[in-house]
Amino acid sequence: MIKTQNPLVRFVVDYFSRPNKNRFEIVDVLRGLAVVQMMIFHFCFLLKEFRIAFLDFSYNANWAAFRIVIVTMFLSLVGVSLKIAWERGLKRKSYYRRLAQLFFYGLALSLTTYIIAPSRTVIFGILQFIFVASILGLVFVRLVWVNLILGTVIIWLGFNYANPIFNQAGLWWIGMVTRGPVTLDYVPLFPWFGLVLIGIFIGHFVVHKPQLAPIKSWHAKDFVSQTLALTGRHSLTLYMAHVPIFFVFIYLFMT
């Protein structure tokens, strides 16, 4: 516990320190870490867009690898979370509310990018992907080893096979294109749905294996991990809010 005499800081620390027994906090922490990395990526991207920093997001392998790490963390955790929710008795109301949020946030993102950057409109980005994957994942949520095998195959196909037939706009969401769409964000089913399936596979062992009980009972105790856990619990809201905030901040800084 962090010792402090400041009442505001003490309140925040005490609030963060309350363990949530109904959640796997390790999953929240990992998701929060992915959110922080995503914020760093988007902040740097906006610096490039405003021409404050000359960063090469198109051809620099380091930025491409950083994006892959972020997306991998997010999407594998989608599978883990879906499996945990299923094993605990999927609450339909919460599930449908989450789907509705993903749908309308995805629609809002597409409309916003169409207005701001019509030549790079987001058609099937990460929000649209998670919406579709959250529905398709229910088909596979009862399976175990099949998910590992099928997920590996989907990832391999997504990175190693392409066909011009998938270049049609109506099929972009599948992937395996020979010429990808010009867009600010593109996350097709191939290869990325493979990560969701592998996440479901991992989630099965997290829930059922007694050896992994410490992971289920783990709770964040230090300020950093507690902050990451809170960030992970509100990842969708932060995803929608952080880019406009960064945009306004950079714009005011420039003016």
Side-chain angles (χ1 to χ4, degrees):
M1 181 68 67
I2 298 176
K3 303 296 184 181
T4 176
Q5 298 301 319
N6 187 305
L8 177 60
V9 174
R10 188 167 60 248
F11 170 78
V12 173
V13 171
D14 291 342
Y15 177 80
F16 284 166
S17 301
R18 299 172 185 172
N20 190 330
K21 297 181 180 180
N22 296 320
R23 299 185 67 91
F24 284 52
E25 284 199 357
I26 188 66
V27 175
D28 290 331
V29 168
L30 292 173
R31 189 184 297 112
L33 181 60
V35 170
V36 171
Q37 293 180 91
M38 174 192 64
M39 289 179 173
I40 295 172
F41 184 92
H42 285 163
F43 185 76
C44 293
F45 183 81
L46 286 175
L47 291 180
K48 188 267 293 186
E49 291 291 294
F50 277 96
R51 297 186 179 183
I52 296 175
F54 295 96
L55 304 173
D56 186 3
F57 283 82
S58 299
Y59 299 103
N60 188 296
N62 293 326
W63 286 111
F66 188 31
R67 179 181 183 272
I68 289 175
V69 169
I70 297 169
V71 176
T72 298
M73 290 186 66
F74 265 118
L75 301 188
S76 57
L77 290 172
V78 167
V80 172
S81 300
L82 187 62
K83 180 63 176 180
I84 292 173
W86 177 266
E87 292 293 337
R88 289 184 162 186
L90 188 66
K91 297 178 181 179
R92 293 189 178 184
K93 185 176 180 180
S94 298
Y95 174 74
Y96 290 139
R97 182 172 63 247
R98 185 71 169 179
L99 285 182
Q101 285 180 316
L102 287 167
F103 177 82
F104 287 110
Y105 282 169
L107 181 62
L109 183 63
S110 295
L111 291 175
T112 302
T113 53
Y114 177 75
I115 294 171
I116 296 176
S119 62
R120 296 181 290 174
T121 302
V122 174
I123 303 298
F124 199 80
I126 195 165
L127 291 180
Q128 290 86 352
F129 171 89
I130 295 176
F131 173 79
V132 174
S134 298
I135 298 173
L136 290 180
L138 292 181
V139 178
F140 302 91
V141 76
R142 295 183 180 91
L143 305 176
V144 184
W145 290 97
V146 171
N147 285 328
L148 176 62
I149 297 170
L150 184 59
T152 303
V153 170
I154 290 174
I155 292 173
W156 186 89
L157 285 174
F159 282 114
N160 294 280
Y161 176 78
N163 193 304
I165 194 173
F166 296 110
N167 292 346
Q168 303 175 60
L171 298 179
W172 282 344
W173 61 278
I174 297 175
M176 297 187 292
V177 297
T178 59
R179 185 182 67 255
V182 180
T183 175
L184 290 172
D185 190 25
Y186 179 51
V187 185
L189 290 185
F190 285 78
W192 301 114
F193 187 63
L195 288 172
V196 177
L197 294 182
I198 292 176
I200 295 174
F201 169 79
I202 295 171
H204 171 84
F205 290 95
V206 171
V207 172
H208 291 288
K209 286 294 182 180
Q211 299 91 325
L212 299 178
I215 294 179
K216 293 185 285 186
S217 60
W218 182 86
H219 291 292
K221 296 180 180 179
D222 61 274
F223 187 79
V224 173
S225 59
Q226 290 162 358
T227 304
L228 289 175
L230 186 66
T231 302
R233 287 195 291 271
H234 300 282
S235 57
L236 186 56
T237 301
L238 290 171
Y239 182 90
M240 293 300 297
H242 78 280
V243 172
I245 292 173
F246 287 166
F247 188 94
V248 172
F249 174 80
I250 295 174
Y251 178 78
L252 291 176
F253 173 79
M254 291 184 63
T255 56

